[in-house]
Amino acid sequence: ERTPTGCPVSQRAAEFDPFEDGYQQDPPEYVRWAREQEPIFYSPKLGYWVITRYDDIKAVFRDNLTFSPSNALEKITPTGEEANAVLASYGFALNRTLVNEDEPAHMPRRRALMDPFTPEALKHHEPLVRELARSYVDRFIDDGRADLVDQMLWEIPLTVALHFLGVPEEDMDTLRKYSIAHTVNTWGRPKPEEQVAVAHAVGNFWQYAGKVLDKMRQDPDAPGWMQYGIRKQMQHPEVVTDSYLHSMMMAGIVAAHETTANATANAVKLLLQHPQVWQELCDDPGLIPNAVEECLRHNGSVAAWRRLVTKDTQVGGVDLPAGSRLLIVTSSANHDEGHFADADLFDIRRDNASDHLTFGYGSHQCMGKNLARMEMQIFLEEFTRRLPHMRLSEQRFSYVPNTSFRGPEHLWVEWDPRANPERADA
Ligand code: HEM
């Protein structure tokens, strides 16, 4: 097999398959060979060039004209006619939001919509996160075991996301199903028979987003980032378009929710797999902010992102013709020895942990990163204080097969409720 530029494809590049369990379980480990020997390779199975080193990925993020983000939310697996017809029947038209918008449209829109993300604005959400974290832990603290994903980590970030966006709290289970369908639709490889069910869920999600938006337009002074966008549209209709609002209404729920839920589950799993580190964190919660960064570096919730090459160029000495599609494996960059000393070591005191690329980099860098950090810090504060004696239960972790959004579907932990610190305090 040959690359589109006519070079032979190596055996390992030919075998690369990000929908396989090996990638799901540990993406940076799965591409270690590439990071060390063939840092940019063409994957015939995917039809993408795969980039694995820190400096190369940062160079791609830095130049969003040569490396357009327009394919960031494209279906990585083209669907069949039947699924496409289902999507069309719902009027599905997810288009540019921010993350997949090109210049010159992107920066003015990003600037117009930034204020609700300032540290002062985010402070308003902190009490809600704290209260939710406490009340969810209350529900299971006497049980001695819990699936943290199902019993807490999925729902709280969803509640916070809806609150931040300004969406009335709706049927959480339905939204969870919709979100996962969106992930599979965008970054997964559903079998033909699954594609139709996924298309129905995504179509329903799209229509739901439209209805919520219509309702919001009747009360544009209500709090919420989407209402903020609706008000900005009145002043700058060419910057904040209808298509943007409808697409962001849907994509925003997923961007704010699944990423954070998965990031926290990955972090707790990683910490409990290192009981000594967990103990240190319980003894000194002041270490939590940097521990959060190190967890995002070592085991982040976005494993890879995408770009489209707009003109013939080179990355790391490899020719990439216009039209090339790139899978930039940020989780691999985060384990690059060239940037992080002893990169596989989990070190919550690492001084450059926050150089990780889990939130992307440059003009599209995650706008919600400080909201996500705040949530993760509060969850860890509550866990270290109230459940310092928890440990991982025996289990095999499973992941929704896809290139990008990554977190265990379940996270079972256990502890002796008789040893709960708050019983001793009482
Ligand atoms: C963009 C990851 C949480 C809103 C992004 C990008 C990534 C990402 C990889 C693309 C960056 C790039 O192209 O350079 C994450 C992770 C999160 C998280 C790992 C949690 C741990 C959130 C939250 C919100 C949010 C909570 C909203 C409340 C956004 C928005 C963009 C974005 C609006 C688009 C920014 C732009 O293109 O200008 N995020 N995200 N994210 N994220 Fe997040």
Side-chain angles (χ1 to χ4, degrees):
E1 267 181 301
R2 299 205 160 255
T3 70
T5 45
C7 301
V9 170
S10 70
Q11 168 107 27
R12 309 204 67 163
E15 284 166 1
F16 173 79
D17 181 352
F19 306 108
E20 243 174 31
D21 197 51
Y23 178 91
Q24 302 309 321
Q25 294 291 337
D26 191 346
E29 188 55 37
Y30 185 75
V31 296
R32 173 187 300 280
W33 64 274
R35 199 162 56 245
E36 291 174 356
Q37 296 155 32
E38 196 187 348
I40 299 178
F41 66 91
Y42 181 75
S43 160
K45 281 193 187 165
L46 198 61
Y48 278 65
W49 293 86
V50 181
I51 307 195
T52 58
R53 278 193 188 159
Y54 190 91
D55 289 343
D56 293 337
I57 290 180
K58 212 159 172 181
V60 167
F61 273 129
R62 231 181 238 128
D63 180 356
N64 63 332
L65 300 179
T66 310
F67 305 103
S68 158
S70 58
N71 64 347
L73 300 181
E74 217 167 67
K75 277 186 233 189
I76 203 160
T77 304
T79 40
E81 259 171 53
E82 200 187 343
N84 293 343
V86 169
L87 281 173
S89 74
Y90 290 94
F92 179 73
L94 183 80
N95 201 334
R96 306 292 182 108
T97 55
L98 284 160
V99 82
N100 59 349
E101 183 61 281
D102 281 306
E103 304 308 339
H106 166 258
M107 270 325 269
R109 188 179 296 157
R110 180 173 164 111
R111 274 192 216 105
L113 298 170
M114 192 54 117
D115 275 357
F117 291 98
T118 58
E120 309 83 76
L122 291 180
K123 274 226 156 32
H124 295 295
H125 302 284
E126 216 178 294
L128 174 74
V129 179
R130 179 80 60 188
E131 185 194 305
L132 286 167
R134 291 202 170 147
S135 68
Y136 274 71
V137 173
D138 283 344
R139 293 179 194 175
F140 56 67
I141 192 161
D142 289 324
D143 295 350
R145 79 192 284 261
D147 174 358
L148 293 182
V149 172
D150 271 358
Q151 292 177 248
M152 172 165 173
L153 297 181
W154 198 269
E155 269 182 36
I156 299 182
L158 178 53
T159 310
V160 175
L162 296 177
H163 183 83
F164 176 81
L165 294 167
V167 180
E169 269 174 52
E170 299 273 338
D171 180 354
M172 301 279 218
D173 288 337
T174 308
L175 282 180
R176 179 173 178 178
K177 263 188 232 115
Y178 285 174
S179 292
I180 294 174
H182 173 77
T183 295
V184 172
N185 187 51
T186 311
W187 296 290
R189 179 141 295 182
K191 298 194 179 68
E193 62 273 20
E194 287 167 306
Q195 287 181 8
V196 172
V198 167
H200 278 292
V202 171
N204 277 312
F205 194 4
W206 175 253
Q207 294 204 338
Y208 163 83
K211 282 193 202 112
V212 173
L213 196 59
D214 287 343
K215 236 202 226 154
M216 284 178 173
R217 287 189 192 279
Q218 291 159 20
D219 185 13
D221 291 323
W225 188 49
M226 292 310 299
Q227 288 87 344
Y228 186 85
I230 289 169
R231 297 197 296 277
K232 284 280 167 184
Q233 184 180 46
M234 296 173 191
Q235 303 157 359
H236 308 288
E238 71 298 343
V239 174
V240 183
T241 59
D242 281 337
S243 168
Y244 160 78
L245 284 172
H246 195 158
S247 298
M248 185 51 103
M249 190 65 244
M250 177 170 158
I253 292 175
V254 182
H257 154 222
E258 268 193 71
T259 52
T260 311
N262 283 331
T264 314
N266 287 336
V268 172
K269 170 174 173 279
L270 183 62
L271 283 162
L272 296 182
Q273 282 170 333
H274 295 81
Q276 256 178 325
V277 179
W278 174 249
Q279 194 53 52
E280 279 178 70
L281 206 58
C282 294
D283 294 342
D284 181 3
L287 294 168
I288 288 175
N290 206 58
V292 164
E293 293 312 309
E294 177 67 352
C295 289
L296 286 166
R297 180 190 76 84
H298 201 283
N299 195 24
S301 55
V302 172
W305 210 242
R306 284 182 285 170
R307 289 291 188 263
L308 180 67
V309 175
T310 58
K311 58 171 193 266
D312 292 358
T313 188
Q314 274 200 340
V315 176
V318 175
D319 286 325
L320 298 174
S324 299
R325 297 180 296 177
L326 311 182
L327 184 75
I328 46 182
V329 189
T330 44
S331 55
S332 169
N334 291 343
H335 282 253
D336 187 337
E337 292 286 339
H339 193 85
F340 298 102
D342 212 348
D344 294 330
L345 180 74
F346 178 49
D347 174 8
I348 58 173
R349 294 188 176 80
R350 187 183 289 277
D351 58 13
N352 67 348
S354 64
D355 285 357
H356 67 75
L357 299 178
T358 303
F359 290 125
Y361 179 79
S363 56
H364 285 272
Q365 199 190 35
C366 180
M367 286 166 81
K369 61 185 180 179
N370 290 329
L371 179 58
R373 286 174 167 140
M374 182 251 281
E375 289 188 58
M376 292 177 73
Q377 289 177 18
I378 289 178
F379 296 146
L380 290 185
E381 282 165 20
E382 293 299 315
F383 287 146
T384 51
R385 190 169 59 80
R386 302 184 69 187
L387 289 166
H389 51 323
M390 77 174 161
R391 54 188 182 269
L392 277 183
S393 308
E394 262 315 298
Q395 65 203 295
R396 172 161 173 84
F397 296 102
S398 64
Y399 299 83
V400 174
N402 78 99
T403 54
S404 298
F405 278 21
R406 184 175 169 276
E409 291 180 288
H410 301 282
L411 180 62
W412 282 101
V413 295
E414 58 198 35
W415 63 93
D416 179 358
R418 287 167 306 182
N420 288 357
E422 52 208 60
R423 291 201 183 178
D425 296 346

